[in-house]
Amino acid sequence: MVKTNDLILKTMTVLISFILFGFSVNLFLAGHNAPGGGFIGGLMTSAAITLMYMAYGEKAINKILPINYRILLTTGLLIAIATGVGSFIFGEPFLSQTYDYFHFPIFGEMELATALLFDLGVYLTVIGVTMTIVLTISSDR
């Protein structure tokens, strides 16, 4: 077995992944008021996870992140569909959104919109699909 010197890659992966995760959360939360949302946030998160798989290997990352990405994909789809269908309960058209302002102890007054729930479903679906594709291709011999 050949031992490679990948100290720089592993060290930089920690920093770059942290930045990518932070930026993906920012994009996800800004999605309904500014450019961004669940799709691009999910792609950024998938890029960070893929980088960690490349630097540390499948065994190590599966220990740290024991996620079944197919279940994550299904969960995201269910959340997105439930958000769209949920508007029927209130007699509104499919995918109608609403918002209101809520006061939180640390953050103060914040706007919460139902579009954020739909974006969450898209976010989880994109991560699930992307990581399933990447891991399937990487394990193909």
Side-chain angles (χ1 to χ4, degrees):
M1 181 175 192
V2 177
K3 178 83 170 142
T4 59
N5 186 6
D6 53 359
L7 178 65
I8 295 173
L9 174 65
K10 288 182 177 182
T11 304
M12 291 308 295
T13 294
V14 172
L15 176 67
I16 293 169
S17 293
F18 181 76
I19 292 168
L20 284 173
F21 280 128
F23 190 54
S24 74
V25 169
N26 179 42
L27 284 172
F28 168 70
L29 293 175
H32 64 281
N33 288 331
F39 186 79
I40 190 65
L43 286 178
M44 294 289 288
T45 301
S46 296
I49 295 171
T50 301
L51 180 62
M52 292 189 314
Y53 270 106
M54 289 170 52
Y56 292 100
E58 193 171 351
K59 276 186 181 178
I61 299 302
N62 284 342
K63 272 187 188 175
I64 296 169
L65 296 173
I67 299 171
N68 184 340
Y69 293 104
R70 292 179 182 177
I71 292 175
L72 190 67
L73 181 155
T74 306
T75 304
L77 278 174
L78 290 174
I79 291 172
I81 290 169
T83 304
V85 172
S87 58
F88 290 146
I89 295 171
F90 300 105
E92 297 293 326
F94 184 69
L95 281 178
S96 293
Q97 74 145 349
T98 187
Y99 68 94
D100 203 356
Y101 293 92
F102 297 93
H103 183 76
F104 293 99
I106 294 174
F107 302 109
E109 190 161 304
M110 291 180 59
E111 173 190 341
L112 291 180
T114 56
L116 188 66
L117 291 174
F118 180 76
D119 276 345
L120 175 65
V122 172
Y123 181 79
L124 295 176
T125 301
V126 169
I127 294 171
V129 167
T130 307
M131 293 312 301
T132 299
I133 291 170
V134 167
L135 294 176
T136 300
I137 290 172
S138 71
S139 66
D140 189 25
R141 303 265 176 225

